[in-house]
Amino acid sequence: MMIKDTYPVAAGDMTVAGDVSARIKRQMKRLGIPSDIMRRVSVCTYEAEINLVIHSMGGEIEFEITAEDIIVRSRDVGPGIPDISKAMTEGWSTASNEVRNMGFGAGMGLPNMKRNADEFSIESTVGVGTNIVMTFHI
Ligand SMILES: Nc1ncnc2c1ncn2[C@@H]1O[C@H](COP(=O)(O)OP(=O)(O)O)[C@@H](O)[C@H]1O
Ligand SMILES: [Mg+2]
């Protein structure tokens, strides 16, 4: 069973934020992925998707299944992250008041992604964009 799907994520539109992670979750259910892995992948894809919507200028989420792993990649075009260790700190957020009033921007997304993935890597270039790779051992 080898799968590699790519889902575009548009910037700014909170009304569809979460749709991509919901689709990926349905796909995992269909495939019978164990529920603990499914739960962790879902947390990570949701947080990555929300970050694309609220912090980037748009990007994509790639969902891959190999014989050993599920791999989720998030890539975007956007402002990038000047200080990754700050961004990885629980509660640290640059989200606008508008975004916070909608219930987002608690500053827990990146720390939760790192905690829930078996492997987590993030690379970001200011003025260019951000790439995240998360691996889950099946
Ligand atoms: N894709 C991204 N592009 C630019 N900045 C980002 C991106 N993802 C995260 N960040 C930065 O890292 C901070 C922390 O992210 P996160 O932990 O998800 O918290 P939150 O999204 O609630 O602010 C964000 O406030 C933002 O400054
Ligand atoms: Mg976030």
Side-chain angles (χ1 to χ4, degrees):
M1 170 180 63
M2 303 294 229
I3 282 166
K4 198 191 234 184
D5 296 321
T6 304
Y7 301 91
V9 179
D13 188 354
M14 295 310 293
T15 65
V16 296
D19 285 9
V20 166
S21 39
R23 281 173 70 185
I24 290 172
K25 188 171 191 177
R26 278 199 295 278
Q27 168 85 312
M28 288 190 288
K29 272 198 180 134
R30 260 201 303 274
L31 295 168
I33 300 298
S35 60
D36 171 65
I37 297 174
M38 194 167 73
R39 184 190 57 75
R40 292 189 289 116
V41 172
S42 294
V43 168
C44 291
T45 51
Y46 179 76
E47 293 294 352
E49 180 181 8
I50 298 296
N51 281 355
L52 293 187
V53 175
I54 69 181
H55 302 299
S56 88
M57 286 156 43
E60 60 187 26
I61 291 187
E62 187 181 273
F63 176 74
E64 181 177 5
I65 302 184
T66 69
E68 294 94 25
D69 297 310
I70 290 179
I71 305 152
V72 176
R73 298 182 184 85
S74 170
R75 319 183 173 94
D76 69 61
V77 171
I81 302 175
D83 184 337
I84 288 179
S85 63
K86 239 187 218 167
M88 294 300 304
T89 304
E90 293 191 3
W92 193 88
S93 175
T94 60
S96 65
N97 282 330
E98 192 192 349
V99 164
R100 284 168 201 255
N101 288 338
M102 287 186 284
F104 300 93
M108 293 302 292
L110 291 173
N112 276 335
M113 287 186 234
K114 189 179 162 80
R115 186 178 310 119
N116 280 283
D118 291 314
E119 292 167 44
F120 174 91
S121 75
I122 179 165
E123 278 175 7
S124 191
T125 306
V126 172
V128 178
T130 300
N131 289 322
I132 295 172
V133 182
M134 296 173 281
T135 303
F136 308 80
H137 306 311
I138 295 173

